[in-house]
Amino acid sequence: MASAFYRKTAKDIIPIEHEVSRYLGYTKANPPDNTVHTMIQEAITQMGLVLRPQAVYDTFPLTHTGIQTLQFAGLKLDSKDLSYNLQNCTHIVIFAATIGAQVDTLIRRAVASDSAKAAILQATGAMYIESFCDDFNAMITQEQKNAGHKTHPRYSPGYGDVPLAVQKHIFSVLQCTRIGLSLMDTLIMSPEKSVTAFIGIE
């Protein structure tokens, strides 16, 4: 099956201000002061102008072989954590998502001139990519619900016992370059505000 694509306009991605605050370490009991609050709002507006939310994905049959061994998309993976997440699943969605290279450029410029602004932009980028992934996840969940299936929570390489090196296989089976996404030798993605993940289908 060829990769499918999911794209949104910047205005479709709803910013969540309290998530930016959370990424910065603030809590309900210790909220940001007025100055930081204003800077967060400015960062949300500024980044919203350059977002290019895109995802590429495909669905593959999933086989459970043994207690914690999974096979899908030509990959054999031993993982207790992912096996638990995908319990009873027969298929798996693999996806890669990004909010675009312009976001990285915006952050790099701030790093060179204003460390506080750069930190807030980093948190804002984290919020936007997670919000976009949530939006994509909701689309997949609704599609599967319409087909009589249910989805499991998404799970990314690098968490638990799933090695980050799995991203190499993801990039080999998805047309990631079509959304401007590449994988460096360090296993870090470019643009930085990008995510790869699995969604189990039961």
Side-chain angles (χ1 to χ4, degrees), residues 4-8 55 57 133-146 151:
F5 298 90
Y6 181 76
R7 296 180 172 93
K8 288 287 186 176
Y57 66 102
C133 287
D134 287 345
D135 187 86
F136 171 79
N137 209 145
M139 181 274 292
I140 294 294
T141 296
Q142 187 59 54
E143 281 189 351
Q144 294 303 321
K145 182 179 180 180
N146 293 344
T151 57

Side-chain angles (χ1 to χ4, degrees), residues 29-81:
N30 179 36
D33 60 26
N34 289 337
T35 299
V36 174
H37 175 72
T38 298
M39 291 177 71
I40 290 172
Q41 290 182 322
E42 290 173 350
I44 287 172
T45 299
Q46 190 176 13
M47 194 168 286
L49 297 174
V50 300
L51 291 179
R52 296 294 183 273
Q54 302 179 82
V56 57
Y57 66 102
D58 205 343
T59 305
F60 301 90
L62 170 67
T63 303
H64 300 258
T65 57
I67 297 175
Q68 60 182 45
T69 303
L70 303 165
Q71 288 184 287
F72 56 89
L75 175 68
K76 185 176 181 179
L77 179 65
D78 289 314
S79 168
K80 180 180 179 181
D81 295 332

Side-chain angles (χ1 to χ4, degrees), residues 15-24 26 28 40 44 127:
I16 307 171
E17 188 175 327
H18 69 81
E19 282 296 289
V20 180
S21 298
R22 185 176 66 83
Y23 283 121
L24 289 167
Y26 294 101
K28 287 183 178 180
I40 290 172
I44 287 172
M127 175 275 294

Side-chain angles (χ1 to χ4, degrees), residues 79 81-82 85 152-162 196-199:
S79 168
D81 295 332
L82 189 58
N85 176 277
H152 289 214
R154 68 176 181 265
Y155 197 103
S156 289
Y159 288 93
D161 63 356
V162 179
T196 57
F198 310 111
I199 302 173

